Amino acid sequence: MAGIGRFWFNSGRRKSGLSESALSIQHRKSQLILAIIDELVATGREEFKPGDLTSRLRERNQPMGTWEVRGLLSQLAGEGAIEIDAASGRWRRTTDRSRKTG
């Protein structure tokens, strides 16, 4: 019974499955991806694929896996920062930059 009580006590501490530090890391990664997207857009690349971002991350010596980048793109799309063209499979920065950033 002691183990059950301890589990119950600890289970109420966090509302989500991620700790504060994990959320902070996730936030930093999404901001890094967004900065790279802005760099690509500034150089005239209106559309991009996850591989374009992973290449840029490797150039910066900050590699991330393609699926991790793809997940962050979905997160950013959910926030309204980017959108996907379903026909081409390419992503693009939205014109509405008034989204909540943090």
Side-chain angles (χ1 to χ4, degrees), residues 86-97:
S88 69
R90 293 184 179 272
W91 296 83
R92 66 178 153 254
R93 188 78 155 99
T94 58
T95 54
D96 180 20
R97 306 260 172 112

Side-chain angles (χ1 to χ4, degrees), residues 1-14:
M1 281 294 186
I4 293 172
R6 194 174 5 193
F7 173 75
W8 175 81
F9 176 75
N10 288 335
S11 66
R13 288 187 180 174
R14 285 188 261 156

Side-chain angles (χ1 to χ4, degrees), residues 14-93:
R14 285 188 261 156
K15 300 290 183 204
S16 71
L18 298 173
S19 67
E20 280 186 42
S21 61
L23 289 173
S24 176
I25 291 168
Q26 190 74 4
H27 179 74
R28 274 186 277 148
K29 286 181 177 182
S30 66
Q31 292 303 308
L32 175 62
I33 293 296
L34 198 55
I36 291 173
I37 291 169
D38 287 340
E39 286 176 15
L40 290 173
V41 170
T43 63
R45 298 273 312 267
E46 293 297 321
E47 295 184 332
F48 51 89
K49 289 191 172 188
D52 300 327
L53 301 173
T54 57
S55 294
R56 187 67 63 108
L57 286 164
R58 279 192 302 272
E59 290 170 5
R60 290 179 162 199
N61 202 25
Q62 295 177 310
M64 260 189 238
T66 303
W67 287 108
E68 183 176 11
V69 170
R70 175 61 180 83
L72 290 166
L73 291 176
S74 292
Q75 177 185 337
L76 291 169
E79 295 173 2
I82 60 174
E83 61 189 7
I84 189 167
D85 176 19
S88 69
R90 293 184 179 272
W91 296 83
R92 66 178 153 254
R93 188 78 155 99

